[in-house]
Amino acid sequence: MRRSLVTAAVLLALAGSLGAGPTDAPSLPDRLADTGGGSQLITAEAQDTGSTTGTVTWWERRGGRWTEAGSAPARFGEGGLAEGATREQGTGTTPTGLYDLPYAFGIEDAPAGTTYPYREVTEDSWWCQDNDARAYNRWVEPRPADCRAAEAEHLVSYGTQYARALVIGFNYDRPVRGRGAGIFLHVNGRGATAGCVSVPAAAMAEILAWADPEREPHIAVGTSSGPTAITRY
């Protein structure tokens, strides 16, 4: 009788330890070097630097723990991904790193419940990517004379992609000429992006309704492993 009780106790303990493994495994945000200091985070992870697809997940920190709030398939640049600190403009690569999210914008109205600063796209809205312009890597409205149309995006022309979007703060605060401009989290187009991160329209709407500027959300972009591993950022 006593031997049976001891055996049962051992089996229960083993079952408990086996069941606890996956639950106790640290979440992706817990494995990042930095999450930006806020209590909301978006991760955009690709398999490797040659990937043009991956996963976007949005997380929130409550009660001292990061929990997943949503997830969607993602698309990256047609050139794959590249280290954000050394990326070159015109390579079609998505820059890896940890970035803030300055504001949202869109051709369509902001989704119900959106509290993030949201800028409406008009016929005069452009994003300047001209390295010789004073407004390099900035929204301009109207387009200034020193920002050539051939070196700028007429935002209203991208009715699908820019239906709704979030500005990713890559090369934004102190722009380095030639590093790259106009990197956003936006709605999927037909395929890989020109360097942005994109998700299905429903996911973009969900992210905008979820994002709270008071919780200081950031986005971490990277690969599953290697020098550009998302956990480095």
Side-chain angles (χ1 to χ4, degrees), residues 23-232:
T23 303
D24 292 342
S27 67
L28 181 55
D30 288 320
R31 292 185 282 118
L32 264 59
D34 188 5
T35 57
S39 58
Q40 287 188 331
L41 178 71
I42 300 171
T43 56
E45 185 177 17
Q47 182 64 34
D48 53 51
T49 54
S51 300
T52 58
T53 60
T55 304
V56 159
T57 307
W58 45 109
W59 309 79
E60 53 188 37
R61 189 169 181 83
R62 294 187 184 276
R65 300 186 63 180
W66 285 103
T67 58
E68 182 179 322
S71 183
R75 297 176 183 173
F76 297 96
E78 59 190 5
L81 293 85
E83 171 60 54
T86 55
R87 177 186 183 269
E88 295 182 3
Q89 185 165 330
T91 56
T93 54
T94 298
T96 61
L98 177 70
Y99 307 105
D100 63 357
L101 299 161
Y103 60 90
F105 69 89
I107 296 170
E108 296 183 8
D109 292 339
T114 299
T115 59
Y116 225 77
Y118 192 87
R119 192 164 185 177
E120 180 184 354
V121 173
T122 73
E123 287 290 339
D124 289 329
S125 303
W126 295 74
W127 196 275
C128 185
Q129 300 177 353
D130 192 330
N131 281 281
D132 296 327
R134 286 174 293 178
Y136 176 68
N137 201 20
R138 286 291 184 272
W139 178 301
V140 289
E141 193 172 308
R143 179 178 55 82
D146 70 339
C147 181
R148 293 166 291 174
E151 298 294 329
E153 282 193 340
H154 192 202
L155 299 179
V156 76
S157 298
Y158 298 87
T160 299
Q161 295 93 325
Y162 298 157
R164 290 169 176 151
L166 267 168
V167 176
I168 295 177
F170 165 73
N171 200 32
Y172 189 78
D173 287 338
R174 296 178 179 178
V176 176
R177 310 283 169 156
R179 182 64 45 80
I183 301 298
F184 313 125
L185 173 63
H186 63 65
V187 175
N188 283 341
R190 292 184 178 179
T193 72
C196 296
V197 181
S198 72
V199 292
M204 193 70 238
E206 188 174 342
I207 290 169
L208 287 174
W210 160 84
D212 182 350
E214 294 188 359
R215 299 182 68 180
E216 301 178 4
H218 286 67
I219 185 168
V221 184
T223 55
S224 298
S225 61
T228 54
I230 195 169
T231 51
R232 290 184 53 243

